[in-house]
């Protein structure tokens, strides 16, 4: 695929940017056929902005604290995203709740990665909560974004066994390793036109209904 045929994407971040970095690296290697048109952060201090800049990707800050109204923030965000005409909007540690109207505008073309095996443990602090709940298995999910926080249809999961001597930090590190393998793969599925979300919120994969999320253990991560 030539550079011009790459799927245009926009990535939204709020912080560290390690998932962003894995996407950038996979795109640079050629394994992930996307054109990252912009990286947008709602936080000016997000470390991920420096990662994007170093890779020569246009960055923008749309600081939510500058907007009194959530809707005004979202309008500004939507204008900036749509200027890039992305085929997919990728949330990578983007920490703002999005309203139903905003989300509907990107129906089927906005995804998020969340550090748990959804529907278990939506929300924050998932690794500590997984240990507190005594779970023996934890992981991460890539899902379509809907108005329900971390509640959209899940397309891909990676499972991580919880060890006896686990701390929230060790567990977070092992889950994050899987996130960095799974997100580029899920995005490439969009590039290849393999995944589709219908109006009723049902996913199809290669033209067949996806009744269970794909499991990274039975997929081939991209070579990057
Ligand atoms: C990741 O754990 C992701 O699953 C969650 O936020 C974290 C972002 O980390 N949504 P990073 O900014 O990609 O390093």
């Amino acid at each position: 695929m030539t550079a011009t045929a790459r799927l245009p994407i926009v990535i939204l971040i709020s912080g560290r940017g390690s998932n962003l970095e894995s996407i950038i690296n996979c795109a640079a290697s050629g394994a992930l056929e996307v054109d990252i048109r912009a990286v947008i952060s709602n936080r000016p201090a997000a470390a991920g902005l420096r990662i994007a800049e170093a890779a020569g990707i246009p960055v923008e800050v749309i600081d939510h604290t500058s907007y009194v109204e959530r809707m005004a923030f979202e309008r500004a965000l939507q204008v900036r995203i749509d200027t890039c005409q992305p085929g997919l909007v990728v949330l990578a540690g983007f920490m703002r709740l999005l309203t139903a109207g905003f989300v509907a505008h990107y129906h089927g073309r906005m995804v998020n990665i969340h550090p748990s095996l959804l529907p278990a443990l939506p929300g924050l602090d998932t690794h500590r909560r997984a240990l507190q709940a005594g779970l023996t298995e934890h992981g991460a999910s890539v899902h379509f974004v809907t108005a329900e926080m971390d509640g959209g249809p899940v397309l891909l999961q990676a499972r991580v066994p919880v060890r006896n001597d686990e701390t929230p930090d060790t567990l977070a590190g092992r889950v994050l390793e899987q996130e960095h393998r799974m997100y580029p793969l899920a995005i490439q599925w969009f590039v290849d036109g393999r995944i589709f979300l219908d109006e009723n919120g049902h996913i199809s994969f290669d033209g067949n209904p996806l009744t269970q999320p794909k499991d990274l253990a039975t997929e081939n991560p991209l070579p990057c």
Side-chain angles (χ1 to χ4, degrees):
M1 191 180 268
T2 63
T4 49
R6 286 171 169 244
L7 182 74
I9 68 170
V10 168
I11 303 178
L12 306 188
I13 62 166
S14 296
R16 179 178 56 185
S18 71
N19 277 290
L20 164 71
E21 189 168 28
S22 80
I23 295 166
I24 290 172
N25 289 343
C26 281
S29 80
L32 175 59
E33 295 163 313
V34 294
D35 171 18
I36 307 170
R37 293 263 169 96
V39 169
I40 304 174
S41 174
N42 67 309
R43 293 200 182 125
L49 289 168
R50 306 288 89 78
I51 294 171
E53 277 174 344
I57 297 165
V59 300
E60 179 136 357
V61 174
I62 302 179
D63 185 348
H64 66 276
T65 64
S66 308
Y67 298 84
V68 178
E69 303 259 332
R70 186 179 289 270
M71 301 296 257
F73 163 70
E74 287 189 350
R75 269 197 301 276
L77 185 58
Q78 186 173 319
V79 166
R80 185 64 189 90
I81 293 171
D82 290 353
T83 302
C84 298
Q85 299 187 289
L88 187 68
V89 180
V90 175
L91 274 49
F94 182 69
M95 301 298 285
R96 292 302 289 170
L97 292 178
L98 298 166
T99 65
F102 182 89
V103 164
H105 179 71
Y106 297 103
H107 181 86
R109 53 193 184 107
M110 182 182 275
V111 288
N112 182 42
I113 190 162
H114 179 77
S116 79
L117 295 173
L118 292 170
L121 305 175
L124 299 174
D125 212 5
T126 57
H127 310 297
R128 188 184 54 77
R129 288 161 58 212
L131 293 180
Q132 277 177 350
L135 300 184
T136 56
E137 189 177 57
H138 186 44
S141 306
V142 177
H143 66 93
F144 284 99
V145 178
T146 61
E148 188 189 343
M149 185 190 61
D150 303 325
V154 178
L155 51 126
L156 176 62
Q157 292 188 316
R159 298 174 181 281
V160 172
V162 178
R163 296 175 181 161
N164 289 336
D165 58 349
E166 204 86 78
T167 68
D169 281 350
T170 60
L171 188 53
R174 286 181 21 259
V175 170
L176 198 60
E177 273 176 33
Q178 298 307 312
E179 293 185 36
H180 296 163
R181 301 171 73 225
M182 73 197 290
Y183 217 3
L185 174 65
I187 295 167
Q188 183 64 29
W189 287 344
F190 286 88
V191 176
D192 293 334
R194 302 184 71 182
I195 196 125
F196 179 74
L197 183 71
D198 72 16
E199 286 307 311
N200 300 317
H202 298 129
I203 301 176
S204 58
F205 190 89
D206 287 346
N208 301 311
L210 188 70
T211 51
Q212 293 284 328
K214 293 278 184 184
D215 185 337
L216 187 66
T218 56
E219 302 296 324
N220 291 320
L222 300 183
C224 51

